[in-house]
Amino acid sequence: MNRPTGTDDGGTQDGPRLPRRGQGQLESQVLTVLRSAGGPATAGWVQEHLDGDLAYTTVITILSRLHAKKAVTRTRQGRSYVWTPASDVAGLAALRMRRVLDGERDREAVLARFVSALSPGDEARLRALLSRAAEDDEGPGGPDDSAAPEG
């Protein structure tokens, strides 16, 4: 079997090595392309509309990972699937953040470190979002505070 060997410049005999994508970057790209379909799309369609030369099997792997994360849904169509986004890129990032938090024993310490590392602008955004979420909980249809145990 002929495999490319390394060269001094970090590439292969077949050409320069492409830079590695950041963690989750390819999933985000696939999700963005899938959202642009305007409806269910096949893996082949997604592959055709992605920038770069990704193998069909790579696209299937990424779609399957997104399905496991509940970021896409799939419906059987003939012998294959059509895929539909269930989440946007922000939802996928939030899911990754939640998975990291769920994997830690001391959630309070992780959240405290996260908040203390925020820029002042991001901290203000987070405070506004938390305030808005609290208002939504207290508004019509929110939890009934009278049923809460007294502390």
Side-chain angles (χ1 to χ4, degrees), residues 28-41:
S28 294
Q29 289 173 350
V30 167
L31 197 54
T32 299
V33 166
L34 191 58
R35 288 187 65 77
S36 75

Side-chain angles (χ1 to χ4, degrees), residues 3-127:
R3 292 187 180 184
T5 58
T7 61
D8 290 341
D9 66 357
T12 66
Q13 288 178 347
D14 296 331
R17 181 174 292 152
L18 297 173
R20 289 188 58 87
R21 291 177 181 87
Q23 184 177 6
Q25 185 179 8
L26 193 52
E27 288 179 347
S28 294
Q29 289 173 350
V30 167
L31 197 54
T32 299
V33 166
L34 191 58
R35 288 187 65 77
S36 75
T42 64
W45 186 92
V46 173
Q47 179 192 22
E48 289 173 16
H49 289 84
L50 280 169
D51 293 334
D53 295 324
L54 284 180
Y56 179 80
T57 54
T58 302
V59 174
I60 289 290
T61 298
I62 292 162
L63 286 167
S64 296
R65 287 179 181 167
L66 288 169
H67 181 258
K69 296 175 181 179
K70 298 182 179 6
V72 300
T73 60
R74 65 183 183 191
T75 306
R76 177 78 66 183
Q77 187 176 61
R79 291 178 20 188
S80 62
Y81 292 104
V82 290
W83 306 83
T84 306
S87 179
D88 57 10
V89 174
L92 184 59
L95 179 64
R96 283 195 299 265
M97 292 167 65
R98 203 168 31 250
R99 275 200 342 251
V100 168
L101 185 60
D102 288 345
E104 296 299 324
R105 225 178 306 189
D106 189 351
R107 295 174 72 93
E108 186 174 338
V110 173
L111 286 169
R113 292 282 175 103
F114 176 75
V115 169
S116 67
L118 290 175
S119 70
D122 284 342
E123 184 179 343
R125 284 182 196 89
L126 181 58
R127 287 182 188 281

